[in-house]
């Protein structure tokens, strides 16, 4: 096999890389959408003139990237866009100390300040009620950190869904997933009822501002929430 370099610093393109690119080209040329079936592995073996192993590895790599959806006994489909790949990447970066919790929180802050404004303008009545309900659930579970964290994550994802922009829930879901690791530690340093209640009150204020269709008040409450969250991370030793 001839190895091709695009530049002196570029990695060589393998046969699997080429097969992946060809499969993606097929999806785009044919106008396939999420859920649509792909031709069989045998089709790509014949068209690309490569081995079954190459095509199978290409399929597996694209499935790991959530471009394809594969399951035993079923034809391969175009995958639905979700947070799986981004979450895995961020979790890996956090656990290998290539990113830290404060950096992830900074990214969330930048994204969610726009999200909360859009949510206040675009939310439905059902979404407004859901946010208020999730804020109540957080308050009820404030002494059960795992349950509280799941409601907290659901709150921020629900806020993102209310924007009507499908990218925002994916990004927020990926960025908030790390809270399952950090909240348990941070919450141990919020020992007073006042400190814990502050977090609950800010989520309630965000939900109420969104329900009132007040983007300015929603943004202000979210900014205060992130200030409190950042202080909590620092108190717990995350910097």
């Amino acid at each position: 096999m001839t190895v091709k370099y695009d530049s002196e610093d570029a990695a060589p393109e393998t046969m699997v890389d080429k097969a992946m690119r060809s499969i993606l080209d097929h999806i785009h040329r044919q106008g396939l959408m999420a859920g649509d079936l792909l031709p069989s592995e045998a089709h790509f073996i014949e068209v690309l003139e490569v081995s079954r192993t190459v095509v199978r590895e290409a399929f597996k790599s694209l499935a790991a990237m959530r471009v394809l959806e594969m399951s035993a006994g079923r034809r391969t489909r175009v995958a639905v866009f979700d947070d799986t790949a981004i979450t895995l990447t961020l979790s890996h970066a956090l656990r290998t100390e290539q990113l830290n919790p404060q950096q992830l929180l900074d990214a969330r802050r930048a994204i969610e300040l726009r999200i909360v404004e859009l949510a206040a303008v675009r939310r439905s009545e059902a979404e407004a009620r859901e946010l208020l309900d999730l804020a109540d659930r957080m308050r009820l579970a404030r002494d059960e950190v795992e349950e509280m964290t799941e409601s907290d994550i659901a709150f921020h994802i629900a806020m993102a869904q209310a924007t009507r922009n499908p990218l925002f829930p994916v990004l927020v879901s990926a960025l908030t997933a790390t809270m399952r690791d950090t909240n348990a530690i941070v919450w141990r340093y919020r020992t007073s009822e006042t400190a814990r209640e502050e977090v609950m009150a800010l989520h309630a204020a965000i939900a109420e501002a969104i329900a009132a269709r007040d983007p300015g008040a929603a943004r202000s409450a979210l900014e205060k929430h992130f200030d409190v969250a950042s202080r909590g991370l620092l108190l717990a030793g995350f910097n």
Side-chain angles (χ1 to χ4, degrees):
M1 180 182 71
T2 302
V3 177
K4 183 180 78 173
Y5 292 85
D6 291 329
S7 70
E8 290 184 2
D9 297 327
E13 185 178 49
T14 67
M15 293 182 72
V16 172
D17 293 332
K18 291 179 181 178
M20 290 170 64
R21 188 154 43 81
S22 295
I23 294 166
L24 284 170
D25 286 345
H26 173 87
I27 292 170
H28 301 153
R29 281 197 313 271
Q30 297 300 316
L32 300 184
M33 298 289 110
D36 287 347
L37 293 170
L38 258 70
S40 65
E41 290 182 2
H43 168 84
F44 288 106
I45 291 167
E46 181 179 353
V47 170
L48 303 179
E49 299 181 338
V50 294
S51 70
R52 181 175 297 277
T53 299
V54 168
V55 171
R56 188 159 291 172
E57 286 302 314
F59 269 53
K60 287 180 179 178
S61 295
L62 290 170
M65 296 165 62
R66 292 299 298 154
V67 173
L68 301 181
E69 180 182 319
M70 299 175 66
S71 58
R74 298 180 63 186
R75 286 267 300 281
T76 300
R77 297 175 180 270
V78 178
V80 175
F81 176 52
D82 66 20
D83 67 297
T84 305
I86 304 173
T87 299
L88 183 63
T89 299
L90 291 178
S91 178
H92 168 72
L94 185 66
R95 291 174 183 272
T96 56
E97 298 184 357
Q98 298 176 75
L99 288 174
N100 63 49
Q102 285 285 359
Q103 290 167 332
L104 291 177
L105 189 68
D106 285 343
R108 280 187 58 202
R109 184 177 195 136
I111 293 167
E112 290 194 42
L113 287 176
R114 178 55 176 161
I115 283 172
V116 78
E117 292 176 331
L118 291 175
V121 173
R122 298 176 180 174
R123 59 80 178 161
S124 66
E125 291 299 324
E127 287 164 338
R129 288 193 299 272
E130 181 184 12
L131 286 166
L132 290 165
D133 181 59
L134 286 166
D136 284 341
R137 283 191 227 168
M138 284 184 64
R139 176 172 275 114
L140 291 171
R142 62 183 174 272
D143 295 323
E144 300 293 336
V145 67
E146 289 186 10
E147 184 179 345
M148 183 274 297
T149 297
E150 293 305 319
S151 293
D152 193 354
I153 290 171
F155 181 95
H156 288 272
I157 294 173
M159 190 171 70
Q161 289 170 336
T163 67
R164 303 290 179 270
N165 182 330
L167 180 57
F168 283 143
V170 170
L171 293 175
V172 171
S173 181
L175 287 164
T176 55
T178 59
M179 288 166 55
R180 294 184 176 93
D181 295 320
T182 58
N183 263 14
I185 299 171
V186 170
W187 215 240
R188 289 203 296 265
Y189 289 85
R190 287 197 176 108
T191 54
S192 72
E193 184 66 22
T194 300
R196 294 188 174 190
E197 180 56 33
E198 182 180 28
V199 175
M200 307 306 149
L202 286 170
H203 281 83
I206 294 166
E208 288 163 5
I210 291 173
R213 298 192 186 277
D214 188 338
R219 181 185 176 96
S220 178
L222 188 67
E223 284 181 326
K224 292 175 184 176
H225 162 52
F226 277 117
D227 286 342
V228 169
S230 184
R231 289 199 302 272
L233 288 173
L234 287 172
L235 187 64
F238 295 110
N239 50 42

CSV table of all heavy atoms in Angstrom, one decimal, residues 170-193:
chain,number,residue,atom,x,y,z
A,170,VAL,N,-27.3,19.1,23.0
A,170,VAL,CA,-26.2,18.2,22.8
A,170,VAL,C,-25.0,18.7,23.6
A,170,VAL,O,-24.3,18.0,24.3
A,170,VAL,CB,-25.9,18.0,21.3
A,170,VAL,CG1,-24.5,17.2,21.2
A,170,VAL,CG2,-27.0,17.2,20.7
A,171,LEU,N,-24.7,20.0,23.4
A,171,LEU,CA,-23.5,20.6,24.0
A,171,LEU,C,-23.7,20.7,25.6
A,171,LEU,O,-22.8,20.3,26.3
A,171,LEU,CB,-23.3,22.1,23.5
A,171,LEU,CG,-22.9,22.2,22.1
A,171,LEU,CD1,-22.8,23.6,21.6
A,171,LEU,CD2,-21.5,21.5,21.8
A,172,VAL,N,-24.9,21.1,26.0
A,172,VAL,CA,-25.1,21.2,27.4
A,172,VAL,C,-25.1,19.8,28.1
A,172,VAL,O,-24.6,19.6,29.2
A,172,VAL,CB,-26.5,21.9,27.7
A,172,VAL,CG1,-26.9,21.8,29.2
A,172,VAL,CG2,-26.4,23.3,27.3
A,173,SER,N,-25.7,18.8,27.4
A,173,SER,CA,-25.6,17.4,28.0
A,173,SER,C,-24.2,16.9,28.1
A,173,SER,O,-23.9,16.3,29.2
A,173,SER,CB,-26.4,16.5,27.0
A,173,SER,OG,-26.4,15.2,27.5
A,174,ALA,N,-23.4,17.2,27.2
A,174,ALA,CA,-22.0,16.8,27.2
A,174,ALA,C,-21.2,17.6,28.3
A,174,ALA,O,-20.4,17.0,29.1
A,174,ALA,CB,-21.3,17.0,25.9
A,175,LEU,N,-21.4,18.8,28.4
A,175,LEU,CA,-20.7,19.7,29.4
A,175,LEU,C,-21.2,19.4,30.8
A,175,LEU,O,-20.4,19.6,31.8
A,175,LEU,CB,-20.9,21.1,29.0
A,175,LEU,CG,-20.1,21.6,27.8
A,175,LEU,CD1,-20.6,23.0,27.3
A,175,LEU,CD2,-18.6,21.7,28.1
A,176,THR,N,-22.5,19.1,31.0
A,176,THR,CA,-23.0,18.9,32.4
A,176,THR,C,-22.7,17.5,32.9
A,176,THR,O,-22.9,17.2,34.1
A,176,THR,CB,-24.5,19.2,32.5
A,176,THR,OG1,-25.2,18.4,31.5
A,176,THR,CG2,-24.8,20.6,32.2
A,177,ALA,N,-22.4,16.5,32.0
A,177,ALA,CA,-22.2,15.1,32.4
A,177,ALA,C,-21.1,15.0,33.5
A,177,ALA,O,-21.2,14.2,34.4
A,177,ALA,CB,-21.8,14.3,31.2
A,178,THR,N,-20.1,15.9,33.5
A,178,THR,CA,-19.0,15.9,34.5
A,178,THR,C,-19.5,16.3,35.9
A,178,THR,O,-18.8,16.0,36.8
A,178,THR,CB,-17.9,16.8,34.0
A,178,THR,OG1,-18.4,18.1,33.9
A,178,THR,CG2,-17.3,16.4,32.7
A,179,MET,N,-20.7,16.9,35.9
A,179,MET,CA,-21.2,17.2,37.3
A,179,MET,C,-21.4,16.0,38.1
A,179,MET,O,-21.4,16.1,39.4
A,179,MET,CB,-22.5,18.0,37.1
A,179,MET,CG,-22.4,19.4,36.6
A,179,MET,SD,-23.9,20.1,36.0
A,179,MET,CE,-24.9,19.9,37.5
A,180,ARG,N,-21.6,14.8,37.5
A,180,ARG,CA,-21.8,13.6,38.3
A,180,ARG,C,-20.5,13.3,39.1
A,180,ARG,O,-20.6,12.6,40.1
A,180,ARG,CB,-22.1,12.4,37.4
A,180,ARG,CG,-23.5,12.6,36.7
A,180,ARG,CD,-23.9,11.4,35.9
A,180,ARG,NE,-25.2,11.5,35.3
A,180,ARG,CZ,-25.5,12.1,34.1
A,180,ARG,NH1,-24.5,12.4,33.3
A,180,ARG,NH2,-26.7,12.2,33.7
A,181,ASP,N,-19.4,13.7,38.6
A,181,ASP,CA,-18.1,13.5,39.3
A,181,ASP,C,-17.8,14.7,40.3
A,181,ASP,O,-17.3,14.4,41.4
A,181,ASP,CB,-16.9,13.4,38.3
A,181,ASP,CG,-17.0,12.2,37.4
A,181,ASP,OD1,-17.4,11.2,37.9
A,181,ASP,OD2,-16.7,12.3,36.2
A,182,THR,N,-18.1,15.9,39.9
A,182,THR,CA,-17.7,17.0,40.7
A,182,THR,C,-18.7,17.4,41.8
A,182,THR,O,-18.3,17.9,42.9
A,182,THR,CB,-17.4,18.3,39.8
A,182,THR,OG1,-18.6,18.6,39.1
A,182,THR,CG2,-16.3,18.0,38.9
A,183,ASN,N,-20.0,17.2,41.5
A,183,ASN,CA,-21.0,17.7,42.5
A,183,ASN,C,-20.9,17.0,43.8
A,183,ASN,O,-21.1,17.6,44.9
A,183,ASN,CB,-22.5,17.5,41.9
A,183,ASN,CG,-23.0,18.7,41.3
A,183,ASN,OD1,-22.3,19.7,41.0
A,183,ASN,ND2,-24.3,18.8,41.0
A,184,ALA,N,-20.6,15.7,43.8
A,184,ALA,CA,-20.5,15.0,45.1
A,184,ALA,C,-19.4,15.5,45.9
A,184,ALA,O,-19.5,15.5,47.2
A,184,ALA,CB,-20.2,13.5,44.8
A,185,ILE,N,-18.3,16.0,45.3
A,185,ILE,CA,-17.2,16.6,46.1
A,185,ILE,C,-17.6,18.0,46.5
A,185,ILE,O,-17.5,18.4,47.7
A,185,ILE,CB,-16.0,16.6,45.3
A,185,ILE,CG1,-15.6,15.2,44.9
A,185,ILE,CG2,-14.8,17.3,46.0
A,185,ILE,CD1,-14.4,15.1,43.9
A,186,VAL,N,-18.1,18.8,45.6
A,186,VAL,CA,-18.4,20.2,45.9
A,186,VAL,C,-19.5,20.3,47.0
A,186,VAL,O,-19.4,21.1,47.9
A,186,VAL,CB,-18.9,21.0,44.7
A,186,VAL,CG1,-19.5,22.3,45.0
A,186,VAL,CG2,-17.8,21.1,43.6
A,187,TRP,N,-20.5,19.4,47.0
A,187,TRP,CA,-21.6,19.5,47.9
A,187,TRP,C,-21.1,19.2,49.3
A,187,TRP,O,-21.7,19.7,50.3
A,187,TRP,CB,-22.7,18.5,47.5
A,187,TRP,CG,-24.1,18.9,47.8
A,187,TRP,CD1,-25.0,18.3,48.6
A,187,TRP,CD2,-24.7,20.1,47.3
A,187,TRP,NE1,-26.1,19.0,48.6
A,187,TRP,CE2,-26.0,20.2,47.8
A,187,TRP,CE3,-24.3,21.1,46.4
A,187,TRP,CZ2,-26.9,21.2,47.5
A,187,TRP,CZ3,-25.2,22.2,46.1
A,187,TRP,CH2,-26.5,22.2,46.7
A,188,ARG,N,-20.0,18.5,49.5
A,188,ARG,CA,-19.5,18.2,50.9
A,188,ARG,C,-19.0,19.5,51.5
A,188,ARG,O,-18.9,19.6,52.7
A,188,ARG,CB,-18.4,17.2,50.8
A,188,ARG,CG,-18.9,15.8,50.5
A,188,ARG,CD,-17.9,14.7,51.0
A,188,ARG,NE,-16.6,14.8,50.3
A,188,ARG,CZ,-16.3,14.1,49.3
A,188,ARG,NH1,-17.1,13.2,48.8
A,188,ARG,NH2,-15.1,14.2,48.7
A,189,TYR,N,-18.6,20.5,50.7
A,189,TYR,CA,-18.1,21.7,51.2
A,189,TYR,C,-19.3,22.8,51.4
A,189,TYR,O,-19.0,23.8,52.0
A,189,TYR,CB,-17.0,22.3,50.3
A,189,TYR,CG,-15.8,21.5,50.4
A,189,TYR,CD1,-15.6,20.4,49.6
A,189,TYR,CD2,-14.7,21.9,51.2
A,189,TYR,CE1,-14.4,19.6,49.7
A,189,TYR,CE2,-13.6,21.2,51.3
A,189,TYR,CZ,-13.4,20.0,50.5
A,189,TYR,OH,-12.3,19.3,50.6
A,190,ARG,N,-20.4,22.5,50.9
A,190,ARG,CA,-21.6,23.3,51.1
A,190,ARG,C,-22.4,22.7,52.3
A,190,ARG,O,-23.4,22.1,52.2
A,190,ARG,CB,-22.5,23.4,49.9
A,190,ARG,CG,-21.9,24.2,48.8
A,190,ARG,CD,-23.0,24.6,47.8
A,190,ARG,NE,-22.5,25.4,46.7
A,190,ARG,CZ,-22.3,25.1,45.5
A,190,ARG,NH1,-22.5,23.8,45.1
A,190,ARG,NH2,-21.8,25.9,44.6
A,191,THR,N,-21.8,22.9,53.5
A,191,THR,CA,-22.3,22.2,54.7
A,191,THR,C,-23.5,22.9,55.3
A,191,THR,O,-24.4,22.3,55.9
A,191,THR,CB,-21.2,22.0,55.7
A,191,THR,OG1,-20.7,23.3,56.0
A,191,THR,CG2,-20.1,21.1,55.2
A,192,SER,N,-23.6,24.2,55.1
A,192,SER,CA,-24.7,24.9,55.8
A,192,SER,C,-26.0,24.9,54.9
A,192,SER,O,-25.9,24.8,53.7
A,192,SER,CB,-24.3,26.4,56.0
A,192,SER,OG,-24.3,27.1,54.8
A,193,GLU,N,-27.1,25.0,55.6
A,193,GLU,CA,-28.4,25.0,54.9
A,193,GLU,C,-28.5,26.3,54.0
A,193,GLU,O,-29.1,26.2,52.9
A,193,GLU,CB,-29.5,25.0,55.9
A,193,GLU,CG,-30.9,25.0,55.4
A,193,GLU,CD,-31.2,23.7,54.6
A,193,GLU,OE1,-30.5,22.7,54.9
A,193,GLU,OE2,-32.1,23.7,53.8
